[in-house]
PDB file of all heavy atoms in Angstrom:
ATOM      1  N   PHE A1366      10.275  -0.679  -5.221  1.00 98.00           N
ATOM      2  CA  PHE A1366      10.173   0.678  -4.691  1.00 98.00           C
ATOM      3  C   PHE A1366      10.232   0.613  -3.175  1.00 98.00           C
ATOM      4  O   PHE A1366      10.341  -0.469  -2.590  1.00 98.00           O
ATOM      5  CB  PHE A1366       8.890   1.375  -5.191  1.00 98.00           C
ATOM      6  CG  PHE A1366       7.612   0.663  -4.833  1.00 98.00           C
ATOM      7  CD1 PHE A1366       6.906   0.985  -3.679  1.00 98.00           C
ATOM      8  CD2 PHE A1366       7.092  -0.323  -5.672  1.00 98.00           C
ATOM      9  CE1 PHE A1366       5.716   0.341  -3.359  1.00 98.00           C
ATOM     10  CE2 PHE A1366       5.905  -0.973  -5.359  1.00 98.00           C
ATOM     11  CZ  PHE A1366       5.222  -0.639  -4.201  1.00 98.00           C
ATOM     12  N   LYS A1367      10.150   1.776  -2.529  1.00 98.00           N
ATOM     13  CA  LYS A1367      10.366   1.797  -1.081  1.00 98.00           C
ATOM     14  C   LYS A1367       9.550   2.900  -0.421  1.00 98.00           C
ATOM     15  O   LYS A1367       9.315   3.951  -1.022  1.00 98.00           O
ATOM     16  CB  LYS A1367      11.861   2.009  -0.785  1.00 98.00           C
ATOM     17  CG  LYS A1367      12.271   1.742   0.655  1.00 98.00           C
ATOM     18  CD  LYS A1367      13.782   1.709   0.810  1.00 98.00           C
ATOM     19  CE  LYS A1367      14.164   1.329   2.234  1.00 98.00           C
ATOM     20  NZ  LYS A1367      15.626   1.262   2.420  1.00 98.00           N
ATOM     21  N   VAL A1368       9.111   2.633   0.830  1.00 98.00           N
ATOM     22  CA  VAL A1368       8.534   3.673   1.682  1.00 98.00           C
ATOM     23  C   VAL A1368       9.525   3.949   2.815  1.00 98.00           C
ATOM     24  O   VAL A1368      10.495   3.212   3.010  1.00 98.00           O
ATOM     25  CB  VAL A1368       7.148   3.270   2.235  1.00 98.00           C
ATOM     26  CG1 VAL A1368       6.147   3.115   1.108  1.00 98.00           C
ATOM     27  CG2 VAL A1368       7.222   1.999   3.073  1.00 98.00           C
ATOM     28  N   ALA A1369       9.275   5.020   3.563  1.00 97.00           N
ATOM     29  CA  ALA A1369      10.286   5.522   4.502  1.00 97.00           C
ATOM     30  C   ALA A1369      10.416   4.696   5.777  1.00 97.00           C
ATOM     31  O   ALA A1369      11.466   4.711   6.418  1.00 97.00           O
ATOM     32  CB  ALA A1369       9.981   6.979   4.856  1.00 97.00           C
ATOM     33  N   SER A1370       9.361   3.984   6.174  1.00 98.00           N
ATOM     34  CA  SER A1370       9.422   3.231   7.427  1.00 98.00           C
ATOM     35  C   SER A1370       8.683   1.905   7.253  1.00 98.00           C
ATOM     36  O   SER A1370       8.290   1.547   6.149  1.00 98.00           O
ATOM     37  CB  SER A1370       8.835   4.049   8.581  1.00 98.00           C
ATOM     38  OG  SER A1370       7.458   4.315   8.369  1.00 98.00           O
ATOM     39  N   GLN A1371       8.473   1.182   8.346  1.00 98.00           N
ATOM     40  CA  GLN A1371       7.975  -0.194   8.258  1.00 98.00           C
ATOM     41  C   GLN A1371       6.559  -0.274   7.711  1.00 98.00           C
ATOM     42  O   GLN A1371       5.638   0.332   8.247  1.00 98.00           O
ATOM     43  CB  GLN A1371       8.019  -0.849   9.642  1.00 98.00           C
ATOM     44  CG  GLN A1371       7.562  -2.300   9.629  1.00 98.00           C
ATOM     45  CD  GLN A1371       7.830  -2.990  10.949  1.00 98.00           C
ATOM     46  OE1 GLN A1371       8.935  -2.944  11.468  1.00 98.00           O
ATOM     47  NE2 GLN A1371       6.829  -3.640  11.500  1.00 98.00           N
ATOM     48  N   PRO A1372       6.354  -1.039   6.627  1.00 97.00           N
ATOM     49  CA  PRO A1372       5.013  -1.303   6.115  1.00 97.00           C
ATOM     50  C   PRO A1372       4.552  -2.698   6.550  1.00 97.00           C
ATOM     51  O   PRO A1372       5.288  -3.411   7.226  1.00 97.00           O
ATOM     52  CB  PRO A1372       5.236  -1.281   4.595  1.00 97.00           C
ATOM     53  CG  PRO A1372       6.613  -1.871   4.441  1.00 97.00           C
ATOM     54  CD  PRO A1372       7.391  -1.559   5.708  1.00 97.00           C
ATOM     55  N   GLU A1373       3.331  -3.059   6.187  1.00 95.00           N
ATOM     56  CA  GLU A1373       2.920  -4.463   6.241  1.00 95.00           C
ATOM     57  C   GLU A1373       1.750  -4.703   5.295  1.00 95.00           C
ATOM     58  O   GLU A1373       1.907  -5.234   4.215  1.00 95.00           O
ATOM     59  CB  GLU A1373       2.569  -4.946   7.651  1.00 95.00           C
ATOM     60  CG  GLU A1373       2.271  -6.441   7.643  1.00 95.00           C
ATOM     61  CD  GLU A1373       2.003  -7.053   9.007  1.00 95.00           C
ATOM     62  OE1 GLU A1373       1.940  -6.330  10.012  1.00 95.00           O
ATOM     63  OE2 GLU A1373       1.837  -8.284   9.059  1.00 95.00           O
ATOM     64  N   GLY A1374       0.536  -4.308   5.715  1.00 96.00           N
ATOM     65  CA  GLY A1374      -0.640  -4.646   4.929  1.00 96.00           C
ATOM     66  C   GLY A1374      -0.674  -3.949   3.576  1.00 96.00           C
ATOM     67  O   GLY A1374      -0.225  -2.814   3.426  1.00 96.00           O
ATOM     68  N   CYS A1375      -1.190  -4.669   2.568  1.00 98.00           N
ATOM     69  CA  CYS A1375      -1.441  -4.062   1.269  1.00 98.00           C
ATOM     70  C   CYS A1375      -2.594  -4.804   0.610  1.00 98.00           C
ATOM     71  O   CYS A1375      -2.917  -5.934   0.974  1.00 98.00           O
ATOM     72  CB  CYS A1375      -0.196  -4.061   0.379  1.00 98.00           C
ATOM     73  SG  CYS A1375       0.454  -5.678  -0.093  1.00 98.00           S
ATOM     74  N   VAL A1376      -3.237  -4.146  -0.357  1.00 98.00           N
ATOM     75  CA  VAL A1376      -4.328  -4.761  -1.108  1.00 98.00           C
ATOM     76  C   VAL A1376      -4.410  -4.069  -2.458  1.00 98.00           C
ATOM     77  O   VAL A1376      -4.198  -2.857  -2.558  1.00 98.00           O
ATOM     78  CB  VAL A1376      -5.673  -4.664  -0.353  1.00 98.00           C
ATOM     79  CG1 VAL A1376      -6.143  -3.220  -0.178  1.00 98.00           C
ATOM     80  CG2 VAL A1376      -6.758  -5.493  -1.043  1.00 98.00           C
ATOM     81  N   ALA A1377      -4.695  -4.852  -3.497  1.00 98.00           N
ATOM     82  CA  ALA A1377      -4.782  -4.307  -4.856  1.00 98.00           C
ATOM     83  C   ALA A1377      -6.228  -4.252  -5.319  1.00 98.00           C
ATOM     84  O   ALA A1377      -6.987  -5.202  -5.126  1.00 98.00           O
ATOM     85  CB  ALA A1377      -3.965  -5.160  -5.818  1.00 98.00           C
ATOM     86  N   ASP A1378      -6.596  -3.129  -5.901  1.00 98.00           N
ATOM     87  CA  ASP A1378      -7.878  -2.962  -6.582  1.00 98.00           C
ATOM     88  C   ASP A1378      -7.637  -3.348  -8.045  1.00 98.00           C
ATOM     89  O   ASP A1378      -7.123  -2.563  -8.829  1.00 98.00           O
ATOM     90  CB  ASP A1378      -8.333  -1.509  -6.454  1.00 98.00           C
ATOM     91  CG  ASP A1378      -9.700  -1.258  -7.076  1.00 98.00           C
ATOM     92  OD1 ASP A1378     -10.139  -2.067  -7.918  1.00 98.00           O
ATOM     93  OD2 ASP A1378     -10.318  -0.228  -6.742  1.00 98.00           O
ATOM     94  N   ASP A1379      -8.010  -4.585  -8.395  1.00 98.00           N
ATOM     95  CA  ASP A1379      -7.734  -5.096  -9.741  1.00 98.00           C
ATOM     96  C   ASP A1379      -8.430  -4.271 -10.820  1.00 98.00           C
ATOM     97  O   ASP A1379      -7.866  -4.027 -11.889  1.00 98.00           O
ATOM     98  CB  ASP A1379      -8.177  -6.562  -9.848  1.00 98.00           C
ATOM     99  CG  ASP A1379      -7.357  -7.491  -8.959  1.00 98.00           C
ATOM    100  OD1 ASP A1379      -6.284  -7.063  -8.470  1.00 98.00           O
ATOM    101  OD2 ASP A1379      -7.788  -8.642  -8.742  1.00 98.00           O
ATOM    102  N   GLN A1380      -9.678  -3.850 -10.539  1.00 96.00           N
ATOM    103  CA  GLN A1380     -10.457  -3.130 -11.554  1.00 96.00           C
ATOM    104  C   GLN A1380      -9.835  -1.785 -11.892  1.00 96.00           C
ATOM    105  O   GLN A1380      -9.745  -1.398 -13.055  1.00 96.00           O
ATOM    106  CB  GLN A1380     -11.898  -2.932 -11.063  1.00 96.00           C
ATOM    107  CG  GLN A1380     -12.655  -4.225 -10.837  1.00 96.00           C
ATOM    108  CD  GLN A1380     -13.974  -3.988 -10.104  1.00 96.00           C
ATOM    109  OE1 GLN A1380     -14.416  -2.855  -9.956  1.00 96.00           O
ATOM    110  NE2 GLN A1380     -14.605  -5.061  -9.644  1.00 96.00           N
ATOM    111  N   ARG A1381      -9.402  -1.065 -10.861  1.00 97.00           N
ATOM    112  CA  ARG A1381      -8.862   0.289 -11.080  1.00 97.00           C
ATOM    113  C   ARG A1381      -7.334   0.290 -11.157  1.00 97.00           C
ATOM    114  O   ARG A1381      -6.732   1.348 -11.305  1.00 97.00           O
ATOM    115  CB  ARG A1381      -9.336   1.222  -9.960  1.00 97.00           C
ATOM    116  CG  ARG A1381     -10.855   1.364  -9.926  1.00 97.00           C
ATOM    117  CD  ARG A1381     -11.295   2.274  -8.804  1.00 97.00           C
ATOM    118  NE  ARG A1381     -12.734   2.363  -8.751  1.00 97.00           N
ATOM    119  CZ  ARG A1381     -13.521   1.527  -8.069  1.00 97.00           C
ATOM    120  NH1 ARG A1381     -12.986   0.529  -7.382  1.00 97.00           N
ATOM    121  NH2 ARG A1381     -14.839   1.677  -8.074  1.00 97.00           N
ATOM    122  N   GLN A1382      -6.737  -0.893 -11.045  1.00 98.00           N
ATOM    123  CA  GLN A1382      -5.283  -1.051 -11.131  1.00 98.00           C
ATOM    124  C   GLN A1382      -4.576  -0.129 -10.135  1.00 98.00           C
ATOM    125  O   GLN A1382      -3.618   0.563 -10.452  1.00 98.00           O
ATOM    126  CB  GLN A1382      -4.806  -0.819 -12.572  1.00 98.00           C
ATOM    127  CG  GLN A1382      -5.509  -1.749 -13.547  1.00 98.00           C
ATOM    128  CD  GLN A1382      -5.076  -1.552 -14.979  1.00 98.00           C
ATOM    129  OE1 GLN A1382      -4.396  -2.372 -15.540  1.00 98.00           O
ATOM    130  NE2 GLN A1382      -5.462  -0.422 -15.564  1.00 98.00           N
ATOM    131  N   ARG A1383      -5.121  -0.148  -8.914  1.00 98.00           N
ATOM    132  CA  ARG A1383      -4.601   0.705  -7.840  1.00 98.00           C
ATOM    133  C   ARG A1383      -4.143  -0.182  -6.685  1.00 98.00           C
ATOM    134  O   ARG A1383      -4.824  -1.146  -6.317  1.00 98.00           O
ATOM    135  CB  ARG A1383      -5.692   1.673  -7.371  1.00 98.00           C
ATOM    136  CG  ARG A1383      -5.245   2.617  -6.254  1.00 98.00           C
ATOM    137  CD  ARG A1383      -6.376   3.530  -5.830  1.00 98.00           C
ATOM    138  NE  ARG A1383      -6.648   4.549  -6.837  1.00 98.00           N
ATOM    139  CZ  ARG A1383      -7.855   4.839  -7.302  1.00 98.00           C
ATOM    140  NH1 ARG A1383      -8.927   4.167  -6.877  1.00 98.00           N
ATOM    141  NH2 ARG A1383      -8.006   5.790  -8.202  1.00 98.00           N
ATOM    142  N   LEU A1384      -3.012   0.154  -6.120  1.00 98.00           N
ATOM    143  CA  LEU A1384      -2.477  -0.571  -4.973  1.00 98.00           C
ATOM    144  C   LEU A1384      -2.556   0.314  -3.739  1.00 98.00           C
ATOM    145  O   LEU A1384      -2.134   1.468  -3.770  1.00 98.00           O
ATOM    146  CB  LEU A1384      -1.023  -0.970  -5.237  1.00 98.00           C
ATOM    147  CG  LEU A1384      -0.280  -1.687  -4.101  1.00 98.00           C
ATOM    148  CD1 LEU A1384      -0.893  -3.054  -3.838  1.00 98.00           C
ATOM    149  CD2 LEU A1384       1.202  -1.825  -4.441  1.00 98.00           C
ATOM    150  N   PHE A1385      -3.121  -0.236  -2.662  1.00 98.00           N
ATOM    151  CA  PHE A1385      -3.130   0.443  -1.368  1.00 98.00           C
ATOM    152  C   PHE A1385      -2.096  -0.243  -0.471  1.00 98.00           C
ATOM    153  O   PHE A1385      -2.032  -1.478  -0.422  1.00 98.00           O
ATOM    154  CB  PHE A1385      -4.496   0.349  -0.691  1.00 98.00           C
ATOM    155  CG  PHE A1385      -5.602   1.063  -1.416  1.00 98.00           C
ATOM    156  CD1 PHE A1385      -6.445   0.367  -2.275  1.00 98.00           C
ATOM    157  CD2 PHE A1385      -5.809   2.421  -1.250  1.00 98.00           C
ATOM    158  CE1 PHE A1385      -7.471   1.015  -2.947  1.00 98.00           C
ATOM    159  CE2 PHE A1385      -6.831   3.079  -1.917  1.00 98.00           C
ATOM    160  CZ  PHE A1385      -7.661   2.373  -2.762  1.00 98.00           C
ATOM    161  N   LEU A1386      -1.309   0.545   0.248  1.00 98.00           N
ATOM    162  CA  LEU A1386      -0.355  -0.050   1.177  1.00 98.00           C
ATOM    163  C   LEU A1386      -0.323   0.743   2.467  1.00 98.00           C
ATOM    164  O   LEU A1386      -0.544   1.954   2.483  1.00 98.00           O
ATOM    165  CB  LEU A1386       1.035  -0.150   0.545  1.00 98.00           C
ATOM    166  CG  LEU A1386       1.732   1.116   0.064  1.00 98.00           C
ATOM    167  CD1 LEU A1386       2.576   1.730   1.179  1.00 98.00           C
ATOM    168  CD2 LEU A1386       2.594   0.813  -1.142  1.00 98.00           C
ATOM    169  N   GLY A1387      -0.062   0.029   3.545  1.00 98.00           N
ATOM    170  CA  GLY A1387      -0.021   0.649   4.867  1.00 98.00           C
ATOM    171  C   GLY A1387       1.398   0.817   5.363  1.00 98.00           C
ATOM    172  O   GLY A1387       2.187  -0.136   5.333  1.00 98.00           O
ATOM    173  N   GLU A1388       1.733   2.028   5.800  1.00 98.00           N
ATOM    174  CA  GLU A1388       2.992   2.291   6.491  1.00 98.00           C
ATOM    175  C   GLU A1388       2.598   2.432   7.965  1.00 98.00           C
ATOM    176  O   GLU A1388       1.876   3.366   8.344  1.00 98.00           O
ATOM    177  CB  GLU A1388       3.635   3.562   5.939  1.00 98.00           C
ATOM    178  CG  GLU A1388       5.073   3.747   6.318  1.00 98.00           C
ATOM    179  CD  GLU A1388       5.708   4.968   5.661  1.00 98.00           C
ATOM    180  OE1 GLU A1388       5.082   5.591   4.761  1.00 98.00           O
ATOM    181  OE2 GLU A1388       6.833   5.313   6.053  1.00 98.00           O
ATOM    182  N   GLU A1389       3.036   1.511   8.798  1.00 97.00           N
ATOM    183  CA  GLU A1389       2.420   1.260  10.104  1.00 97.00           C
ATOM    184  C   GLU A1389       2.240   2.505  10.972  1.00 97.00           C
ATOM    185  O   GLU A1389       1.200   2.690  11.593  1.00 97.00           O
ATOM    186  CB  GLU A1389       3.210   0.194  10.864  1.00 97.00           C
ATOM    187  CG  GLU A1389       3.072  -1.188  10.247  1.00 97.00           C
ATOM    188  CD  GLU A1389       3.587  -2.297  11.143  1.00 97.00           C
ATOM    189  OE1 GLU A1389       4.234  -1.986  12.175  1.00 97.00           O
ATOM    190  OE2 GLU A1389       3.344  -3.469  10.827  1.00 97.00           O
ATOM    191  N   ASP A1390       3.257   3.364  11.048  1.00 97.00           N
ATOM    192  CA  ASP A1390       3.186   4.533  11.931  1.00 97.00           C
ATOM    193  C   ASP A1390       2.797   5.807  11.198  1.00 97.00           C
ATOM    194  O   ASP A1390       2.751   6.880  11.808  1.00 97.00           O
ATOM    195  CB  ASP A1390       4.537   4.759  12.624  1.00 97.00           C
ATOM    196  CG  ASP A1390       4.875   3.637  13.578  1.00 97.00           C
ATOM    197  OD1 ASP A1390       3.944   3.019  14.126  1.00 97.00           O
ATOM    198  OD2 ASP A1390       6.075   3.360  13.766  1.00 97.00           O
ATOM    199  N   VAL A1391       2.536   5.716   9.897  1.00 98.00           N
ATOM    200  CA  VAL A1391       2.324   6.914   9.077  1.00 98.00           C
ATOM    201  C   VAL A1391       0.905   6.991   8.524  1.00 98.00           C
ATOM    202  O   VAL A1391       0.229   8.016   8.662  1.00 98.00           O
ATOM    203  CB  VAL A1391       3.345   6.960   7.915  1.00 98.00           C
ATOM    204  CG1 VAL A1391       3.084   8.170   7.019  1.00 98.00           C
ATOM    205  CG2 VAL A1391       4.765   6.997   8.465  1.00 98.00           C
ATOM    206  N   GLY A1392       0.422   5.934   7.880  1.00 98.00           N
ATOM    207  CA  GLY A1392      -0.908   5.951   7.289  1.00 98.00           C
ATOM    208  C   GLY A1392      -0.996   5.019   6.104  1.00 98.00           C
ATOM    209  O   GLY A1392      -0.227   4.055   5.986  1.00 98.00           O
TER     210      GLY A1392
END
């Protein structure tokens, strides 16, 4: 999949099966 601009950091919540990702200039 893809986001609109440059990402980097991400972390997965294994228990809730949720992925958090950072889009550097967006949030």
Side-chain angles (χ1 to χ4, degrees):
F1366 59 93
K1367 193 169 185 179
V1368 296
S1370 63
Q1371 182 170 309
E1373 185 176 5
C1375 63
V1376 65
D1378 183 340
D1379 294 346
Q1380 297 169 12
R1381 298 179 182 88
Q1382 304 180 109
R1383 180 181 287 131
L1384 177 66
F1385 295 97
L1386 59 90
E1388 195 176 351
E1389 290 193 350
D1390 294 331
V1391 177

